[in-house]
Amino acid sequence: MMNLNSRPGRIGTPCLACPLRMKPAFEDKTDDEIRFIQAMKTDHRSLKAGSDIISPDQESAELYTLFSGWAFRYKSLPDGRRQILNFLLPGDIVGLQASLLAAAQHGIEALTDVELCVFPRKRIWDLFVRMPNLAYELAWLGSREESMIDDNLTSVGQRNASERIAALVITLYRRADALGLVSDSSFDFPLSQQQLADALGLSLVHTSKTWSKLRKAGLFTISGGRLTLLNPRLTARMAAVYEQSKAPRPLI
Amino acid sequence: MMNLNSRPGRIGTPCLACPLRMKPAFEDKTDDEIRFIQAMKTDHRSLKAGSDIISPDQESAELYTLFSGWAFRYKSLPDGRRQILNFLLPGDIVGLQASLLAAAQHGIEALTDVELCVFPRKRIWDLFVRMPNLAYELAWLGSREESMIDDNLTSVGQRNASERIAALVITLYRRADALGLVSDSSFDFPLSQQQLADALGLSLVHTSKTWSKLRKAGLFTISGGRLTLLNPRLTARMAAVYEQSKAPRPLI
DNA sequence: CAGATTCAATGATGAACCTCAATTCGAGGC
DNA sequence: GCCTCGAATTGAGGTTCATCATTGAATCTG
């Protein structure tokens, strides 16, 4: 029997009907802008969890938007130590730094199975010439990412193990919430403890111990890859994390 | 007697004759571009060491280029802990993130006496509309800054105290070198140990002890606020830091 | 030059975190 | 149902780093 599946074609859902775009987390765009984005998008790509989206030192990387799934940026030292720099959720821009600079200074890996909207590097210049508003928003998104890394650096540099975990969990919770991925205070949480450790700058063992300490203290529970945050207020206070802006952001 | 000093007027040296721009660290620009930058610059401001260039939570911050001196970006937790995110040297863009986002998520402080070229926030949009090449370079500079913070996060998350110090010293050395500020392997090094500690995510005491351990080990000497790097190769190896790109970068 | 102030250096002690090692748990595969 | 394999948990012991406290050096002030 022929497989008449509902899977969209080479470039996926038309951008005008993009389900992400409907979410309140994202700004409205003019039809003109969306048509430009649609024309710029050359592919809709699916990757398995664990695959490289951008490999370290890759030259002339392409630009993506994460359509579904989670990913992370990371940086490795020659002896194998690895720091996870930040996590990427649906709607986030992927590879902006790598596509603007001559060569990627980091890797980007799919944390879960992901779908990506592909924008070839060459057309970025076009966007700057023809769509200054989109160019501005691209720069804005870059600054937003920098701001999130600032937070992570502050966390890793200043907070102890418990605070770091609390800060990471509450931040991811809020980001998932903004995307409508939270229900009954719980959301999909696909990180392994090794990945947690690499993001927090802690050893695997110490991460595991602190993680279960916080679970036993009643901060959150986890089962079936889903995390339920039992006391968001407490978690936020423990991490000394401020409310973050809920204003809609650009989606490109 | 009237003070006929040689200090330039309200907007300082004309951008076409900017001494920074002459340095090999920076790309050549067309006269057109430089004239646009000149027109966009509304002030040339001098600040004393220790003053705030952008204060935490400041709204609608202006955009600057650091003309002379050093500065740093930092982020504080409510209880007073502070993380220095990165250092700014002459030619670096100052406040891009703060001027693109609605409110600054960090503070920027003058580490030494500084001079700044002031570009009002309002004209940034103008730049995106009329000068796509400059807009692209602005985004490029933002990505470069992000890349430097990535490095710092990796350092704080993965390296031990000695490695962190080595990485910071070698990185600052190379950046100073690119600006022609190094002679006989030595350069001005205006950081206090408290600032070092805040940048490295270490306590003041441990920073002091590790710092003198590395001096005694013959990595570098310091006197009169000037640091001499005795063994750049060894320092780079200890930090496991790669060569970084020496390609010229945009100056705006 | 005495007094105040800031920054750097260093010893003592304890807590936080790391490494090594062993064990348990859970999800396939057959 | 049993085996395998990766991920998570837990204990023991060691190291790094933080905190507290004191002193010395350098700079400023009146």
Side-chain angles (χ1 to χ4, degrees):
Chain A
M1 168 177 132
M2 205 181 147
N3 183 8
L4 291 174
N5 68 19
S6 66
R7 181 114 196 309
R10 188 178 58 84
I11 59 168
T13 317
C15 297
L16 272 162
C18 176
L20 268 180
R21 192 173 295 290
M22 313 296 174
K23 295 184 189 281
F26 300 105
E27 286 176 6
D28 288 335
K29 290 222 170 318
T30 65
D31 284 3
D32 226 35
E33 289 168 331
I34 301 179
R35 268 194 298 272
F36 185 90
I37 294 168
Q38 173 86 66
M40 190 168 162
K41 176 176 172 181
T42 55
D43 202 359
H44 190 90
R45 193 171 298 165
S46 295
L47 290 176
K48 283 282 162 207
S51 34
D52 272 354
I53 298 174
I54 290 177
S55 49
D57 299 319
Q58 181 177 334
E59 291 179 25
S60 57
E62 292 181 297
L63 182 65
Y64 308 90
T65 289
L66 188 53
F67 181 79
S68 71
W70 289 33
F72 60 86
R73 291 199 318 125
Y74 67 94
K75 209 171 158 79
S76 300
L77 295 180
D79 62 5
R81 286 177 284 181
R82 177 178 80 159
Q83 178 66 39
I84 291 185
L85 303 165
N86 60 330
F87 293 98
L88 303 168
L89 268 59
D92 286 342
I93 201 95
V94 179
L96 179 61
Q97 185 194 130
S99 66
L100 286 176
L101 304 185
Q105 309 293 305
H106 59 261
I108 305 186
E109 184 178 317
L111 178 60
T112 65
D113 292 351
V114 298
E115 291 176 84
L116 296 161
C117 308
V118 184
F119 305 104
R121 177 194 179 83
K122 294 177 181 177
R123 299 203 190 171
I124 299 175
W125 173 240
D126 228 40
L127 183 148
F128 271 81
V129 172
R130 293 178 46 204
M131 289 277 154
N133 39 358
L134 292 182
Y136 188 92
E137 292 180 339
L138 213 52
W140 189 96
L141 287 169
S143 287
R144 174 178 174 271
E145 181 169 276
E146 182 183 290
S147 168
M148 294 197 296
I149 300 159
D150 288 348
D151 286 336
N152 291 344
L153 174 51
T154 305
S155 207
V156 172
Q158 302 299 323
R159 290 194 248 250
N160 64 29
S162 301
E163 294 171 327
R164 283 184 221 181
I165 290 183
L168 180 61
V169 167
I170 191 80
T171 304
L172 289 174
Y173 176 84
R174 289 178 181 172
R175 288 175 65 189
D177 194 19
L179 294 170
L181 299 175
V182 169
S183 62
D184 292 337
S185 298
S186 75
F187 65 111
D188 278 327
F189 194 86
L191 307 200
S192 72
Q193 294 199 351
Q194 182 63 65
Q195 287 159 346
L196 268 174
D198 287 347
L200 299 169
L202 297 170
S203 73
L204 175 59
V205 173
H206 195 58
T207 301
S208 179
K209 286 175 181 169
T210 310
W211 182 254
S212 56
K213 191 184 85 184
L214 294 189
R215 266 188 294 129
K216 283 166 191 157
L219 268 194
F220 52 81
T221 62
I222 189 148
S223 90
R226 243 182 124 74
L227 185 148
T228 306
L229 196 46
L230 300 175
N231 198 334
R233 284 280 173 73
L234 176 61
T235 306
R237 185 143 32 87
M238 163 174 274
V241 158
Y242 302 102
E243 249 340 285
Q244 57 192 8
S245 163
K246 289 185 177 167
R249 61 182 194 269
L251 176 66
I252 290 177
Chain B
M1 169 176 132
M2 205 179 145
N3 183 8
L4 291 174
N5 67 20
S6 66
R7 180 117 196 307
R10 188 177 58 83
I11 57 168
T13 318
C15 298
L16 272 161
C18 177
L20 269 180
R21 192 172 297 289
M22 313 298 175
K23 295 182 188 282
F26 301 104
E27 287 176 6
D28 287 335
K29 290 221 169 318
T30 65
D31 284 2
D32 226 34
E33 289 168 331
I34 300 179
R35 269 192 298 271
F36 186 91
I37 293 169
Q38 171 87 65
M40 189 169 162
K41 175 176 172 182
T42 56
D43 203 359
H44 190 89
R45 193 172 296 165
S46 294
L47 289 176
K48 283 281 162 205
S51 33
D52 271 355
I53 298 175
I54 289 175
S55 48
D57 298 318
Q58 180 176 335
E59 292 180 22
S60 57
E62 294 182 296
L63 182 66
Y64 308 89
T65 289
L66 188 54
F67 181 79
S68 70
W70 288 34
F72 60 86
R73 290 197 322 124
Y74 68 94
K75 210 171 158 78
S76 299
L77 295 180
D79 62 4
R81 285 177 285 181
R82 180 178 78 161
Q83 177 67 38
I84 290 184
L85 303 165
N86 61 329
F87 292 97
L88 303 168
L89 269 58
D92 285 341
I93 202 94
V94 179
L96 179 62
Q97 186 193 130
S99 65
L100 288 175
L101 304 185
Q105 310 292 305
H106 60 261
I108 305 185
E109 185 179 317
L111 178 60
T112 64
D113 292 350
V114 297
E115 290 176 86
L116 296 161
C117 307
V118 184
F119 304 104
R121 177 193 179 85
K122 295 178 180 176
R123 300 201 188 171
I124 299 175
W125 172 241
D126 226 42
L127 182 149
F128 271 82
V129 172
R130 293 177 46 203
M131 288 277 153
N133 39 358
L134 291 182
Y136 188 92
E137 292 180 337
L138 213 51
W140 189 97
L141 287 168
S143 287
R144 174 178 173 268
E145 182 170 273
E146 182 182 292
S147 167
M148 293 196 297
I149 301 159
D150 289 348
D151 286 336
N152 291 342
L153 174 51
T154 305
S155 206
V156 172
Q158 303 299 325
R159 291 194 246 249
N160 65 27
S162 300
E163 293 170 329
R164 285 185 219 180
I165 290 182
L168 180 60
V169 167
I170 191 81
T171 304
L172 289 174
Y173 177 85
R174 288 177 182 173
R175 288 174 65 189
D177 195 20
L179 294 170
L181 299 174
V182 169
S183 61
D184 291 337
S185 298
S186 75
F187 64 112
D188 278 327
F189 194 85
L191 307 201
S192 72
Q193 294 197 350
Q194 182 63 65
Q195 288 159 345
L196 268 174
D198 287 347
L200 299 170
L202 296 171
S203 74
L204 176 58
V205 174
H206 196 58
T207 301
S208 180
K209 286 174 181 170
T210 310
W211 182 255
S212 54
K213 191 182 86 185
L214 293 189
R215 266 188 294 127
K216 282 165 192 157
L219 268 195
F220 52 80
T221 62
I222 189 150
S223 91
R226 248 184 118 74
L227 186 149
T228 306
L229 196 46
L230 300 175
N231 198 333
R233 284 279 173 73
L234 176 60
T235 306
R237 184 143 33 86
M238 163 174 275
V241 158
Y242 301 102
E243 250 339 285
Q244 57 192 6
S245 161
K246 289 186 177 167
R249 61 182 193 270
L251 175 66
I252 290 176

